[in-house]
Amino acid sequence: MGKDKNPRRVADNEAMAKLRMLRTSPQKLNLVAQLIRGKKVDKALVDLTFSKKRIAEDVKKCLQSAIANAENNHGLDVDELVVAEAYVGKNLIMKRGRPRARGRFGRINKPFSELTIKVRQVEEQA
């Protein structure tokens, strides 16, 4: 009896990791995600390690999680992995504010975002 197994959301040669509730705007996070799209994972890790952006450390954790998922859950070879997709989405926005002149209220938005990284195993060209 029981339920059928859920189908995989990614192909057989792919693995994915998702990071939610990152405390930065999606626009700033997308700058770091652009940095690693299409690169081999070892090169992408080096780029994130030496990036000056604050959020690069969290993106690096997500990439390492995707690599670990590929190796442990799907049996892919780490040396042949490439960052296939890295995309950013909006999450909630905390609304804060501070008093301004003449009894007004200055609104301050504190956005959150989420990051999805897919790595794909690509065979080496001879």
Side-chain angles (χ1 to χ4, degrees):
M1 297 284 299
K3 290 195 285 187
D4 292 335
K5 187 177 172 184
N6 285 335
R8 285 190 60 193
R9 283 183 269 164
V10 291
D12 290 335
N13 63 339
E14 288 182 342
M16 174 173 107
K18 195 165 195 172
L19 203 56
R20 294 186 176 99
M21 297 297 289
L22 281 169
R23 180 56 192 88
T24 186
S25 71
Q27 190 174 7
K28 290 177 184 176
L29 182 59
N30 196 36
L31 292 174
V32 180
Q34 274 181 333
L35 191 66
I36 63 171
R37 280 189 195 118
K39 291 186 177 178
K40 293 186 70 66
V41 290
D42 52 350
K43 176 79 169 101
L45 284 171
V46 169
D47 287 350
L48 290 172
T49 302
F50 294 106
S51 174
K52 290 185 177 181
K53 301 280 188 184
R54 174 189 65 86
I55 203 66
E57 193 172 321
D58 293 325
V59 175
K60 182 180 172 187
K61 280 184 185 178
C62 185
L63 179 58
Q64 287 171 332
S65 176
I67 293 168
N69 288 342
E71 184 178 17
N72 298 323
N73 300 347
H74 307 303
L76 302 178
D77 185 19
V78 177
D79 297 327
E80 296 178 355
L81 289 179
V82 172
V83 179
E85 296 177 27
Y87 52 89
V88 176
K90 285 189 201 177
N91 211 320
L92 68 98
I93 296 176
M94 286 195 304
K95 282 94 175 178
R96 300 292 182 262
R98 52 180 305 174
R100 307 301 293 172
R102 298 172 62 189
R104 295 203 173 106
F105 181 75
R107 190 169 188 183
I108 297 173
N109 291 328
K110 299 191 174 213
F112 284 75
S113 49
E114 51 186 54
L115 172 71
T116 305
I117 295 180
K118 286 186 184 178
V119 291
R120 181 178 297 139
Q121 182 175 347
V122 178
E123 309 305 323
E124 292 286 328
Q125 299 295 329

